[in-house]
Amino acid sequence: MAATNIETWQSATVIEVIPVAEAIARIVLEPSLPIKAEPGSHIDLMVQINGESVKRSYSVVEAAADGTRLVISVMKAPLSRGGSIFMHSLVPGTRLEITQPLQNFPLRVGAQRYILLAGGIGITAIANMAVVLKRLKADYTLVYVGRSREAMAYLGELEKLHGDRLEVHIDNEGSSLKVPELVGRADTGTELYMCGPIRLMDAVRRGWVERELDLPNLRYETFGNSGWYDPEEFIVRVPKLNLEVTVPQGRSMLEALEDAGAEMMFHCRKGECGLCEVRVIELAGTIDHRDVFYSERQQRLSTKMNCCVSRAVTSATGAKADAAHTGPAIITIEPN
Amino acid sequence: MTVVSATSSTTNKVLPHPLNAWYVAAWDHEVTRKPMSRRIANRPVALYRTEDGNAVALADACWHRLAPLSMGKTLEKDTIQCPYHGIIYNSAGRCVSMPAQETINPSATVPSFPIVERYRYVWIWMGDPTLADPDLIPDMSQMSSDEWAGDGLTIHAACNFQLVLDNLMDLTHEEFVHSSTIGQEELSESDFVTVREGNKVTVTRWMHNIDAPPFWLKNMRDKFPGFEGKVDRWQIINFEAPSTINIDVGVAKAGTGAPEGDRSQGVNGFVMNTITPETDRSSHYFWAFMRNYALDSQLITTQLRDGVHGVFGEDEEMLMAQQAAIDANPDYEFYNLNIDAGGLWVRRILESMLAAEGRLTPSA
């Protein structure tokens, strides 16, 4: 059934909040207008950060068949923009504003073979797909990558459910994933669905291109919240608007510019559409491109950036000591 | 006292259509490299064939600005290009090319619907694709069997699909609607047997030792030149969910054993009907008349197709008028007669399918 992505905002009640891994909470919601959640779907949800309502997206990990219960899982990230801290403070009975399940990451039925790749909290977007593929008796491998067993949500349940079809790679147990080997297993009949840190997804994408596999068979979802470097505070200057704005660690450049009164163009706010693109005039530091709109070539050029997700950092190594100058990165831009 | 549950109503006038089911989207010959648009189950669908000849069904609205893909053109392999800004999709509905950028937005997809070609038709599944099992396609094997010959057409019926099913499940209307061709008073005088098994319903009616109506007299004379006399006539209506009705029809020389199974002294046809909801108030009605005699006569194929086309034109008119009357009289109910047993079993089956989808709205 073709689901609509026109958002229907509704209230939902928090039914349960329980820890399922190091810093990861499983949150069960009861929406007031339940509809079936397809694999790959997510909900948008309003979180409260310093008294302000801000929209965040969370994948639906599992759902009752009729959608009366939706499960999401949230990782508390110390460098997050504040949403995950709010989510971890929820208690049963709390009311939230959410959308119905939205679909930007549909699972296609009928591929010859599937590889599902989840890195860390990315399992939330992938787990439901694996359940459906198992029910369909499809040929699938679920590859789950994490830094430590303790940090990997649902590992035990997934082992029980998927048996030999689950392949686990754990950094601190010396079984890290070798991406070229994984991509080497894909052929023209394989669809690969992935969700995880940007470095992992980028390595897979490079391997996929090198093997000359069809790009439409490589499916991924990013909510634009993963970067090459940890977020830092930086300064953005907009001569055209006579503005100098400090972008704090927990806020995007687009939000900081909006806070300062700049009228910005944007749509997806997750680094996909390219509408919030700004031209880079001058840069003291490096750009951490977190979008999927630019090609590698365009990211290397760095004459433009998508300010909804991408950031400036002090140095290309990510270590402040390597920075060419002291103090935060400074970027001078011209908005569209 | 009878307990009436929400899933056994006998007074719903028209029902929504199940989505987790196969419907005919088109005749096989209609779907070509030049895309076409057809509204199915309320949703516009673009239908085309790939370079390899496989039929494809995509939502007929580009992801970008919703321009109809059916106005675009097919390109290499399995792709189709939006006529407005040139975005290209593959048969899975995934964007493979976007104008003026070096990457492709990963969200850029249009829904792609499961398709199976069988029995000279292109079948489509509009519901949950993970449930689309080709074994659920209704049996219409006479359409592509060497032992049967014939052809058919499509009627655009200006009514809910349920009204067409009602029409076919009770053939007593032939006496009144089709009096000049297949109608005769024995239809409403003879007894019938209704059997429901799972998602199938069969209504069997035999009329013994009667005069053949004009349509059947002509068919008898095609096989038995100069035939005169009484016949035994049968109508065995076979419904299979969601909306296929194949009617085993024929006449044989009276008393030659047709009711007992020997049809050698008769002529046998199958009226193949499968109804696809277009909207809640209109339907694509695909039908064919297949016969198991004079297989190589194109003349008889054409005569039968045109003859049945004329008969069904009478139904089309009645169905449109009935839908208009239903809409004009929203405060009046349906009542039922004994002859409606077959149609009411069909409704019961459709209601259970809708309930399974969570889409049965009582007394809608």
Side-chain angles (χ1 to χ4, degrees):
Chain A
M1 194 177 324
T4 178
N5 268 358
I6 295 173
E7 297 168 4
T8 306
W9 285 91
Q10 57 194 278
S11 70
T13 308
V14 177
I15 302 297
E16 186 180 80
V17 183
I18 52 165
V20 284
E22 198 175 276
I24 298 177
R26 170 190 167 90
I27 300 169
V28 182
L29 300 173
E30 187 178 75
S32 53
L33 301 171
I35 63 159
K36 183 178 158 64
E38 295 172 26
S41 58
H42 69 274
I43 54 170
D44 285 352
L45 182 154
M46 299 308 284
V47 298
Q48 303 299 317
I49 303 173
N50 301 326
E52 197 188 336
S53 277
V54 185
K55 191 162 89 172
R56 290 286 183 268
S57 298
Y58 297 104
S59 297
V60 176
V61 186
E62 58 180 84
D66 56 3
T68 49
R69 286 280 199 284
L70 298 175
V71 181
I72 59 173
S73 298
V74 180
M75 181 166 70
K76 190 159 157 185
L79 297 174
S80 88
R81 294 170 285 174
S84 67
I85 293 164
F86 169 81
M87 293 302 291
H88 275 247
S89 72
L90 293 174
V91 293
T94 312
R95 307 272 277 182
L96 295 171
E97 285 299 304
I98 70 167
T99 63
Q100 85 279 25
L102 304 170
Q103 180 60 283
N104 279 330
F105 191 34
L107 173 72
R108 187 175 76 95
V109 176
Q112 287 169 35
R113 268 173 304 287
Y114 296 87
I115 297 174
L116 306 178
L117 172 60
I121 190 68
I123 192 65
T124 55
I126 296 293
N128 215 359
M129 292 188 173
V131 171
V132 170
L133 292 179
K134 180 185 162 72
R135 171 163 66 77
L136 293 176
K137 300 186 171 65
D139 182 356
Y140 72 98
T141 307
L142 171 58
V143 181
Y144 188 11
V145 181
R147 37 184 183 81
S148 72
R149 207 164 271 278
E150 297 70 40
M152 294 171 75
Y154 304 114
L155 192 52
E157 290 93 319
L158 293 167
E159 278 168 348
K160 265 188 227 118
L161 192 60
H162 300 292
D164 289 349
R165 293 203 174 270
L166 176 70
E167 182 181 312
V168 179
H169 296 276
I170 305 176
D171 293 344
N172 76 354
E173 295 181 8
S175 61
S176 299
L177 174 70
K178 298 195 175 39
V179 170
E181 189 278 321
L182 177 72
V183 177
R185 282 187 254 157
D187 62 19
T188 54
T190 307
E191 295 194 354
L192 194 155
Y193 293 74
M194 62 178 176
C195 186
I198 199 163
R199 284 166 195 266
L200 174 66
M201 301 215 289
D202 195 71
V204 173
R205 194 175 51 78
R206 282 161 190 263
W208 200 265
V209 170
E210 271 166 31
R211 290 210 59 210
E212 296 182 351
L213 294 165
D214 270 354
L215 270 174
N217 288 343
L218 179 61
R219 313 305 301 170
Y220 53 93
E221 178 151 73
T222 161
F223 296 129
N225 48 17
S226 163
W228 294 84
Y229 310 106
D230 286 341
E232 293 171 15
E233 182 173 293
F234 65 99
I235 292 165
V236 53
R237 291 180 178 149
V238 193
K240 188 176 150 186
L241 302 175
N242 202 21
L243 276 181
E244 177 170 313
V245 176
T246 298
V247 182
Q249 210 176 42
R251 208 139 174 83
S252 75
M253 181 167 148
L254 175 59
E255 288 165 341
L257 288 166
E258 287 171 335
D259 292 345
E263 191 183 352
M264 302 294 292
M265 181 51 69
F266 63 87
H267 175 66
C268 73
R269 297 183 89 104
K270 55 185 180 181
E272 291 184 355
C273 74
L275 268 178
C276 67
E277 168 181 276
V278 295
R279 285 181 293 285
V280 179
I281 310 296
E282 209 181 315
L283 175 67
T286 298
I287 295 174
D288 182 7
H289 288 285
R290 295 173 165 223
D291 62 277
V292 294
F293 175 76
Y294 292 129
S295 66
E296 251 179 88
R297 185 191 71 83
Q298 291 168 312
Q299 294 196 347
R300 266 200 311 275
L301 275 178
S302 278
T303 54
K304 297 173 181 178
M305 69 186 284
N306 288 303
C307 67
C308 66
V309 292
S310 299
R311 309 183 63 87
V313 290
T314 45
S315 84
T317 62
K320 289 203 178 186
D322 293 336
H325 75 118
T326 53
I330 303 171
I331 184 164
T332 307
I333 61 146
E334 193 169 345
N336 269 331
Chain B
M1 190 183 138
T2 311
V3 177
V4 178
S5 77
T7 56
S8 63
S9 104
T10 50
T11 53
N12 280 333
K13 285 176 273 192
V14 293
L15 295 169
H17 37 261
L19 291 173
N20 289 331
W22 293 102
Y23 292 105
V24 167
W27 289 88
D28 54 6
H29 60 80
E30 291 183 283
V31 180
T32 66
R33 289 284 286 157
K34 184 178 158 49
M36 64 177 277
S37 182
R38 181 156 285 164
R39 201 174 177 92
I40 299 166
N42 282 322
R43 196 165 282 274
V45 175
L47 296 161
Y48 67 94
R49 282 188 194 277
T50 67
E51 277 186 348
D52 293 339
N54 299 315
V56 177
L58 301 180
D60 194 14
C62 179
W63 168 83
H64 172 223
R65 282 291 193 264
L66 308 185
L69 296 179
S70 58
M71 285 173 65
K73 58 185 178 198
T74 49
L75 300 177
E76 61 164 14
K77 292 195 266 188
D78 62 342
T79 58
I80 186 169
Q81 182 172 43
C82 174
Y84 200 173
H85 303 98
I87 293 177
I88 301 172
Y89 299 92
N90 68 14
S91 57
R94 288 173 182 161
C95 179
V96 298
S97 170
M98 234 168 214
Q101 64 183 66
E102 295 182 12
T103 56
I104 293 167
N105 187 321
S107 300
T109 59
V110 293
S112 165
F113 301 100
I115 284 278
V116 173
E117 285 200 55
R118 193 175 290 176
Y119 311 135
R120 294 164 61 181
Y121 292 122
V122 175
W123 298 80
I124 191 168
W125 182 279
M126 301 298 288
D128 179 351
T130 68
L131 303 174
D133 178 356
D135 289 347
L136 299 174
I137 291 176
D139 180 15
M140 297 188 81
S141 50
Q142 290 85 354
M143 294 293 293
S144 51
S145 161
D146 291 343
E147 292 162 26
W148 297 82
D151 203 2
L153 292 167
T154 311
I155 293 170
H156 185 258
C159 65
N160 179 278
F161 84 122
Q162 179 64 58
L163 299 184
V164 187
L165 300 180
D166 285 344
N167 170 280
L168 292 165
M169 290 307 289
D170 164 41
L171 299 178
T172 54
H173 77 270
E174 288 181 359
E175 180 181 342
F176 308 98
V177 179
H178 311 303
S179 53
S180 68
T181 49
I182 51 177
Q184 57 188 160
E185 59 189 17
E186 289 86 349
L187 278 159
S188 47
E189 288 166 1
S190 57
D191 205 5
F192 61 94
V193 178
T194 306
V195 178
R196 180 256 173 111
E197 271 179 56
N199 70 346
K200 296 180 181 168
V201 180
T202 306
V203 181
T204 305
R205 171 182 270 124
W206 280 91
M207 291 152 275
H208 301 281
N209 202 33
I210 60 171
D211 290 325
F215 175 84
W216 284 113
L217 187 59
K218 190 260 179 211
N219 294 340
M220 275 299 274
R221 287 175 176 168
D222 280 343
K223 185 170 175 183
F224 306 103
F227 169 76
E228 298 276 0
K230 299 280 184 186
V231 295
D232 294 330
R233 180 180 178 187
W234 69 89
Q235 294 174 326
I236 303 169
I237 307 167
N238 299 289
F239 166 84
E240 186 170 351
S243 54
T244 293
I245 297 177
N246 300 322
I247 311 177
D248 176 1
V249 289
V251 298
K253 294 172 189 169
T256 56
E260 291 74 38
D262 178 6
R263 295 177 175 183
S264 62
Q265 296 307 300
V267 284
N268 186 192
F270 259 82
V271 193
M272 316 296 292
N273 309 277
T274 187
I275 325 300
T276 301
E278 178 186 48
T279 67
D280 294 336
R281 289 288 181 277
S282 59
S283 312
H284 306 289
Y285 175 179
F286 299 90
W287 65 266
F289 189 93
M290 306 301 291
R291 67 180 188 281
N292 65 357
Y293 59 93
L295 295 182
D296 50 2
S297 171
Q298 181 60 43
L299 175 66
I300 291 178
T301 294
T302 304
Q303 286 172 337
L304 283 170
R305 188 192 63 200
D306 292 354
V308 176
H309 179 58
V311 171
F312 283 4
E314 296 169 331
D315 290 302
E316 190 180 347
E317 204 178 320
M318 177 56 70
L319 290 167
M320 183 168 67
Q322 184 193 10
Q323 180 72 63
I326 289 171
D327 291 340
N329 296 286
D331 49 344
Y332 292 172
E333 284 198 284
F334 265 16
Y335 288 92
N336 298 298
L337 302 173
N338 170 267
I339 53 173
D340 296 315
L344 287 170
W345 277 118
V346 167
R347 286 168 176 260
R348 188 78 65 84
I349 291 166
L350 292 173
E351 283 173 335
S352 68
M353 293 173 77
L354 288 164
E357 294 177 21
R359 294 174 56 245
L360 182 64
T361 43
S363 63

